[in-house]
Amino acid sequence: VTLGDPRGIGPEITRKALADPRIQALGIAWHVIGPTGTEQPVNEVIGAWTPTGEPVVDAARAGTLAGLAVMRATDLALRGEVQG
């Protein structure tokens, strides 16, 4: 699972979904990829989310982190370490 934009609802929705007993009952070992600094712990850290309060800087950094998470997930899938 990639978290997407750390400024958005992705980390919150991921945290809530993974805590849901119906999701836990699936018995899937979820692998979360994203930055530290959100409310969702991650298995694969691709950087740290630390908002600056500058909208343009934060948007650029958030986009970079979201892209890095997708790239890392793709790499893990191509190596057969995760499925999706």
Side-chain angles (χ1 to χ4, degrees):
V1 177
T2 59
L3 295 182
D5 186 333
R7 302 170 303 156
I9 63 170
E12 175 187 358
I13 296 299
T14 301
R15 181 183 55 77
K16 288 180 180 179
L18 295 179
D20 187 306
R22 296 169 296 180
I23 299 298
Q24 292 176 357
L26 296 173
I28 296 172
W30 298 99
H31 198 82
V32 181
I33 304 166
T36 59
T38 71
E39 58 187 83
Q40 171 59 48
V42 295
N43 303 100
E44 291 283 329
V45 177
I46 49 82
W49 171 243
T50 50
T52 66
E54 295 292 328
V56 173
V57 173
D58 287 349
R61 182 70 179 143
T64 297
L65 290 168
L68 288 171
V70 171
M71 290 171 52
R72 180 69 177 139
T74 301
D75 181 54
L76 291 170
L78 289 172
R79 292 193 334 228
E81 295 182 30
V82 298
Q83 299 175 0

